Amino acid sequence: MKKAERINQMLRFINQKKQFTLQDLMQEFKISKRTALRDITTLEGIGVPVYVEYGRYGGYRLLNQMQLPPISFNSQEVYALYFAMKALSSFSNLPFQVSFRSIHKKFLNELSVNQRQAIERIQKRVSFRHTEQIKDSEHLEILLLAAVNNKVLKIAYQKPSQTSTRIVQPIAIYFMKGYWYCRAYDMCKEAYRVFRCDRITSAQVTDIQPLADLNDITLENAHSLWTPSENAIQFKCFIDQKGVEHFYQDHYPSIKLIHEGENMYLVGSYEPNELDFIVKYLSGFEQSVKIIKPEILKEKLRQYYTNLLNHI
């Protein structure tokens, strides 16, 4: 990082902390003690009101909060932001109903002529191939805000055969394979569930007390809440290295890889009403998996391939 850029970021860092030490600067900006001292001298030279506090718990203190200059981005940061915004273009729905075109236009208007020209050159050299959103999800904003603010919702959830009312505490939302999903705790079933957001036809905030235990759950560790029902069916498949690579691209909380000797196995469980789903999932591995148990899963997968052949 160039010194001018580091000083600019350091201004914002100390303006937020108000009180800091040399060690804070060294850790935040990955610099030596000597460089940190020189940077403090530079800050004092440009009029930043910093003074030293001596003693065992001493350090530096900002006398008054500063009016900072507008944030500026270097070229690499501009390119990174552009790539991130291009990824938004595949979504017809986003939380807070943010329009990609609006963001994209404002972003380009703030760039210099040289930066805009660089972006135009990138557009001619880079292709974004990602999954398009398949169905609209009208309630992403309320689902996300409920997760952030720890609220309980009453939702109407539409399945192919029926619509049911559920009381849920959202944990997180995420996008996968063309659909938005909401990880939540189902208050009625007292179990962790995943809901497809496009199937949520209504969502209302309730006064129901949320579960405090879910406060620290994040998108990354939410899978720890998932537990199979007493009717869940266990399965086990041999899997080769190609299948392992496919697994890391596409897997669910109920499925994992295990080592047994020199072999790898795909193990997990599925609910009785999820048999067709797990068959279709395993078919994506093609010849990379061999079902060991249960026998009904073998038969269903054979029937799945037979049906495909009959349609050729």
Side-chain angles (χ1 to χ4, degrees), residues 1 5 23 32 38 93 138 147 168 200 221 276-277 291 312:
M1 185 187 299
E5 183 179 346
Q23 192 66 29
S32 66
R38 285 201 299 263
N93 297 116
E138 299 179 11
V168 301
I200 298 175
N221 62 22
D276 290 341
F277 165 79
I291 299 174
I312 293 176

Side-chain angles (χ1 to χ4, degrees), residues 115-299:
Q115 287 174 327
R116 280 199 295 271
Q117 291 175 344
I119 292 295
E120 291 173 359
R121 290 194 294 270
I122 288 176
Q123 288 178 316
K124 297 176 182 178
R125 298 290 184 266
V126 178
S127 177
F128 296 87
R129 305 288 177 88
H130 41 67
T131 305
E132 298 289 329
Q133 183 173 330
I134 297 173
K135 289 190 175 182
D136 286 347
S137 302
E138 299 179 11
H139 305 288
L140 291 181
E141 181 176 341
I142 189 172
L143 292 169
L144 177 58
L145 289 177
V148 171
N149 298 320
N150 202 26
K151 299 291 185 180
V152 175
L153 301 180
K154 178 182 178 181
I155 65 171
Y157 193 65
Q158 185 175 41
K159 289 186 176 182
S161 58
Q162 63 178 354
T163 298
S164 59
T165 299
R166 315 285 273 273
I167 304 298
V168 301
Q169 183 175 340
I171 298 168
I173 63 172
Y174 63 95
F175 183 82
M176 185 174 70
K177 296 183 179 180
Y179 296 97
W180 281 99
Y181 293 88
C182 176
R183 290 184 175 179
Y185 185 81
D186 190 319
M187 296 287 199
C188 301
K189 296 187 177 182
E190 297 184 344
Y192 162 77
R193 291 290 184 266
V194 175
F195 299 92
R196 238 178 61 182
C197 296
D198 61 283
R199 291 179 176 172
I200 298 175
T201 58
S202 68
Q204 298 176 332
V205 177
T206 72
D207 295 326
I208 297 173
Q209 187 69 22
L211 297 180
D213 293 344
L214 300 185
N215 287 346
D216 297 327
I217 299 297
T218 65
L219 184 59
E220 287 71 25
N221 62 22
H223 66 276
S224 64
L225 295 174
W226 186 90
T227 54
S229 74
E230 58 183 15
N231 297 319
I233 301 166
Q234 303 296 318
F235 71 89
K236 183 177 183 181
C237 308
F238 171 79
I239 187 169
D240 62 19
Q241 185 56 44
K242 183 179 178 181
V244 171
E245 294 175 6
H246 180 82
F247 170 81
Y248 285 120
Q249 295 174 0
D250 183 15
H251 62 276
Y252 297 89
S254 58
I255 305 171
K256 63 181 179 180
L257 289 175
I258 62 170
H259 288 268
E260 288 184 3
E262 297 181 355
N263 296 328
M264 292 285 291
Y265 295 90
L266 194 67
V267 299
S269 65
Y270 60 91
E271 302 297 327
N273 63 346
E274 295 176 336
L275 181 56
D276 290 341
F277 165 79
I278 201 69
V279 165
K280 188 173 182 181
Y281 172 74
L282 292 176
S283 70
F285 287 84
E286 299 177 347
Q287 298 178 353
S288 293
V289 296
K290 183 177 181 180
I291 299 174
I292 298 174
K293 63 176 184 179
E295 193 64 32
I296 187 175
L297 191 55
K298 289 184 182 181
E299 293 301 323

Side-chain angles (χ1 to χ4, degrees), residues 60-106:
Y60 294 86
R61 182 183 290 274
L62 189 65
L63 191 60
N64 298 309
Q65 193 168 21
M66 300 172 292
Q67 184 68 36
L68 298 177
I71 296 175
S72 60
F73 298 100
N74 61 35
S75 295
Q76 297 301 317
E77 290 169 335
V78 167
Y79 302 153
L81 287 171
Y82 175 73
F83 273 76
M85 286 192 298
K86 284 293 288 182
L88 297 177
S89 62
S90 63
F91 299 109
S92 58
N93 297 116
L94 287 170
F96 312 115
Q97 299 298 312
V98 177
S99 165
F100 166 75
R101 290 184 178 179
S102 175
I103 295 175
H104 189 259
K105 184 176 180 180
K106 290 177 181 178

